[in-house]
Amino acid sequence: VNFDKYGLNAARQLGIPVAASYQTDFPGYAATLGFKFLEEPIWRYFKKIHNRADLNFAPSNTTRNQMLEHGILRVKVWRRGIDTTNFSPRKKNSKMRSLLSGEQPEKPLLIYVGRLSPEKRVEWLKALFDAKLDIRLALIGDGPNRKLLELIFTNTPTIFTGFLTGEELESAYASADMFVFPSKNETLGNVVLEAMASGLPVIVPTEGGQVD
């Protein structure tokens, strides 16, 4: 849980153990976005906060190792799970595949699922088209970079679906051929697990929690 000094002090007075969960790689995001000088100060702040907890949870082994390297103590991995009744190859849907592929379902279909924001490096996927690959790409999600990305991917066979949930999202995963996720500053990346549960091979950087 998130906690502040008042909650921590109250827990200490009442003799209640305090657990903290580290979820977002803010130091890594700072470096990726061009503010590397903030990386170490952020880690120092997190060290100060998390070392007041009795137990710290990390979502992956990679993130746990990062935390330990920066002096955060008492760190355990809190593993994630995916409901495979929801995310499953059985959710494949021909109509969804036609939609995501721009009515060309016979073409190889790659999908990205996540926030469309600078730190996710979605624009890197443009290189797939620069390499003259005969593929179709669907970007599922929304965010502050959407308009810029729409310009970057102009004149490419790319579909922007906006935010999908529930059955639509589940069938989108299962109806694709491959999952691509260029973000490197992930403490885990639930979307990677969802894609794998849906039967997709995934391509991700060998960095961050998704290495697990």
Side-chain angles (χ1 to χ4, degrees):
V1 297
N2 293 322
F3 61 97
D4 57 24
K5 63 180 181 180
Y6 302 108
L8 185 62
N9 290 340
R12 290 283 181 264
Q13 291 174 13
L14 296 171
I16 299 173
V18 175
S21 178
Y22 182 85
Q23 299 293 333
T24 305
D25 183 11
F26 285 112
Y29 282 152
T32 296
L33 296 174
F35 301 97
K36 188 170 178 59
F37 66 94
L38 293 175
E39 188 174 10
E40 285 306 317
I42 294 172
W43 272 119
R44 287 197 297 271
Y45 173 75
F46 282 165
K47 176 183 176 181
K48 178 180 178 181
I49 294 295
H50 280 274
N51 280 349
R52 298 183 68 190
D54 298 287
L55 179 62
N56 289 293
F57 288 115
S60 64
N61 286 294
T62 302
T63 301
R64 175 181 179 271
N65 292 339
Q66 288 177 335
M67 295 169 71
L68 293 174
E69 287 170 5
H70 287 87
I72 297 176
L73 308 173
R74 300 176 294 279
V75 185
K76 299 291 185 182
V77 175
W78 181 8
R79 296 192 180 279
R80 301 296 188 264
I82 297 298
D83 187 340
T84 54
T85 60
N86 292 333
F87 295 96
S88 163
R90 297 186 298 273
K91 296 297 182 75
K92 185 174 182 178
N93 181 290
S94 59
K95 290 184 178 179
M96 177 59 75
R97 184 177 176 88
S98 291
L99 173 66
L100 297 178
S101 64
E103 306 303 326
Q104 292 187 302
E106 74 282 359
K107 300 291 186 179
L109 173 60
L110 281 62
I111 64 168
Y112 162 92
V113 179
R115 184 169 166 79
L116 303 182
S117 51
E119 72 277 5
K120 300 298 185 182
R121 308 194 302 189
V122 181
E123 69 277 5
W124 282 31
L125 299 178
K126 176 63 162 49
L128 298 171
F129 299 113
D130 296 338
K132 309 298 183 183
L133 298 181
D134 188 19
I135 60 169
R136 298 297 177 265
L137 175 66
L139 302 181
I140 300 171
D142 216 332
N145 256 31
R146 177 167 177 172
K147 289 186 177 180
L148 175 60
L149 290 170
E150 287 175 343
L151 289 174
I152 291 173
F153 286 91
T154 298
N155 298 323
T156 68
T158 302
I159 297 293
F160 288 79
T161 69
F163 191 65
L164 298 183
T165 60
E167 288 284 344
E168 283 189 320
L169 178 60
E170 294 157 15
S171 65
Y173 275 116
S175 301
D177 295 309
M178 185 175 291
F179 181 76
V180 286
F181 195 65
S183 176
K184 73 170 184 175
N185 299 118
E186 300 297 318
T187 56
L188 179 65
N190 280 344
V191 290
V192 176
L193 296 181
E194 292 169 354
M196 294 174 69
S198 301
L200 297 184
V202 302
I203 298 179
V204 298
T206 54
E207 299 180 81
Q210 54 208 1
V211 173
D212 278 27

